[in-house]
């Protein structure tokens, strides 16, 4: 099989992957990465769940 330029042995287009990585990096630097999740997070609820988990962990450790 002849080696194709800009392709890995598995057939991945190296240039396309580099472009996708650059776009992903730019979005992360611009603060666009994950903002849809942050907007839906109820901080108080998460803190309550964490406190309950810690209490259960402490209770299980004492048994």
């Amino acid at each position: 099989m002849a080696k194709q330029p800009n392709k890995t042995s598995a057939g991945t287009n190296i240039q396309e992957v580099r472009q996708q990585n650059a776009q992903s990096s730019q979005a992360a630097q611009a603060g666009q990465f994950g903002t849809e999740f942050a907007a839906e997070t109820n901080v108080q609820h998460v803190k309550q769940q964490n406190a309950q988990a810690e209490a259960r962990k402490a209770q299980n450790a004492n048994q």
Side-chain angles (χ1 to χ4, degrees):
M1 183 163 120
K3 182 172 166 68
Q4 296 176 347
N6 288 331
K7 296 263 185 178
T8 65
S9 59
T12 304
N13 183 330
I14 296 170
Q15 199 59 38
E16 185 178 343
V17 171
R18 285 183 179 148
Q19 182 181 359
Q20 289 174 347
N21 288 344
Q23 288 173 345
S24 176
S25 175
Q26 288 171 353
Q29 289 175 355
Q32 297 170 353
F33 181 76
T35 54
E36 67 273 15
F37 300 111
E40 297 173 8
T41 302
N42 182 335
V43 176
Q44 202 58 38
H45 183 69
V46 171
K47 287 182 178 181
Q48 181 183 5
Q49 287 179 322
N50 289 344
Q52 289 173 351
E54 286 296 324
R56 281 194 299 272
K57 189 166 66 172
Q59 185 179 18
N60 290 337
N62 290 333
Q63 290 180 350

